Amino acid sequence: MSPILAINGLSKQFGGVTALAGVDLAIEEGEILGVVGPNGSGKTTLFNVVTGVHRPSGGTVLFRGQDITGLKPHAISRAGIGYTFQQAMAFAGLGVLENVRIAGEHVGTDSTANPWPTPQALLDFVGLSAVANEKAGVLPFGSLRLLGLALALATRPSLLLLDEPAAGLNDRETTALVGLVRQLPGHGISVCVIDHDMKLMQMLCRRLAVLDFGSKISDGPTEAVLADPKVLEVYLGGDL
Ligand SMILES: Nc1ncnc2c1ncn2[C@@H]1O[C@H](COP(=O)(O)OP(=O)(O)OP(=O)(O)O)[C@@H](O)[C@H]1O
Ligand SMILES: [Mg+2]
């Protein structure tokens, strides 16, 4: 089966900084792929280039075989790639349910062919129905992160990119998040997740890719990657 996303030779320069240096990466249909690497290794930049936030300096991104390189964020979102941000965000002054409803308004015509959960059902899924009518701005941090997941799901993605979804969550919230993310492939949503928490990544991902200084240094089954000498060297004295 061809991958849902095929990244080929992707590079990104910010002035003199090489954030991505020719990355090849495939995300298979139905998998939960993990991307790890030290601070500043290019993980968020990879997502930003795939989702059209930044234009790549070189390389291509194929989504379901179609070239989406350099398209605008709304076009990429419409094509079916959803994204949650490293910083949790929502419209603080609007209600929680209202936020999800608005996020679902700008989806592509293609994706309306399939029935999709209502905003209320998405809130049920992430466990926020009880606060549906609260303003998003009053939510505690953990709930705001879960709302971020509901907002991304409302755009009807077939590929969801999660940038440090568990950052700032306590153990109970992290366990809940793992339970939710694991269900996504069963709903036809492939996942790529960035996180520094290797325990979390081991729970979620059968496969990991590792970035270091903008280059992919390892890619394979999670246990093999975590035992890869090149990976151990990068994390020497670190949190692996
Ligand atoms: N908008 C930008 N302008 C200039 N430089 C940037 C920009 N975004 C990222 N960079 C630089 O690109 C490199 C990669 O950053 P990136 O945010 O992708 O790393 P990361 O792996 O996500 O790190 P972290 O684990 O801390 O989130 C860093 O050197 C960073 O300073
Ligand atoms: Mg980052």
Side-chain angles (χ1 to χ4, degrees):
M1 199 159 57
S2 58
I4 187 164
L5 194 79
I7 293 168
N8 300 299
L10 201 63
S11 62
K12 179 66 187 174
Q13 300 275 138
F14 292 108
V17 175
T18 300
L20 293 174
V23 172
D24 297 325
L25 184 67
I27 304 176
E28 302 301 330
E29 191 97 44
E31 81 169 330
I32 303 177
L33 169 69
V35 174
V36 300
N39 292 119
S41 56
K43 305 178 299 296
T44 296
T45 302
L46 181 73
F47 279 11
N48 282 338
V49 171
V50 167
T51 57
V53 174
H54 294 314
R55 283 188 72 87
S57 309
T60 57
V61 182
L62 302 185
F63 179 57
R64 297 186 179 286
Q66 292 209 327
D67 192 344
I68 59 162
T69 319
L71 294 185
K72 295 273 184 261
H74 68 266
I76 292 177
S77 165
R78 255 180 218 165
I81 301 182
Y83 190 25
T84 67
F85 295 91
Q86 191 165 353
Q87 309 296 329
M89 337 185 184
F91 294 116
L94 295 181
V96 169
L97 182 62
E98 188 66 0
N99 265 279
V100 181
R101 206 182 55 69
I102 290 169
E105 273 177 355
H106 303 285
V107 294
T109 45
D110 292 354
S111 45
T112 52
N114 300 318
W116 198 260
T118 60
Q120 184 63 57
L122 288 172
L123 276 193
D124 287 345
F125 177 68
V126 300
L128 291 180
S129 318
V131 292
N133 298 316
E134 303 281 339
K135 295 246 191 296
V138 307
L139 291 184
F141 186 79
S143 302
L144 195 56
R145 282 232 164 257
L146 291 170
L147 176 57
L149 179 60
L151 294 176
L153 290 173
T155 67
R156 307 181 180 212
S158 48
L159 172 64
L160 184 60
L161 308 179
L162 302 171
D163 196 350
E164 301 196 22
L169 298 189
N170 63 31
D171 286 351
R172 186 181 50 78
E173 292 166 334
T174 301
T175 304
L177 180 84
V178 167
L180 294 176
V181 173
R182 274 189 177 151
Q183 291 178 51
L184 297 178
H187 295 285
I189 302 171
S190 308
V191 178
C192 183
V193 55
I194 292 171
D195 213 281
H196 288 284
D197 180 345
M198 293 300 173
K199 285 207 187 75
L200 173 78
M201 294 306 250
Q202 280 173 293
M203 281 191 276
L204 277 178
C205 310
R206 285 210 201 113
R207 190 179 136 224
L208 285 186
V210 185
L211 294 183
D212 187 35
F213 291 109
S215 295
K216 190 175 82 173
I217 59 161
S218 191
D219 184 349
T222 299
E223 295 310 320
V225 165
L226 293 179
D228 181 340
K230 291 194 292 299
V231 176
L232 293 173
E233 197 178 331
V234 164
Y235 281 99
L236 205 62
D239 55 359
L240 194 64

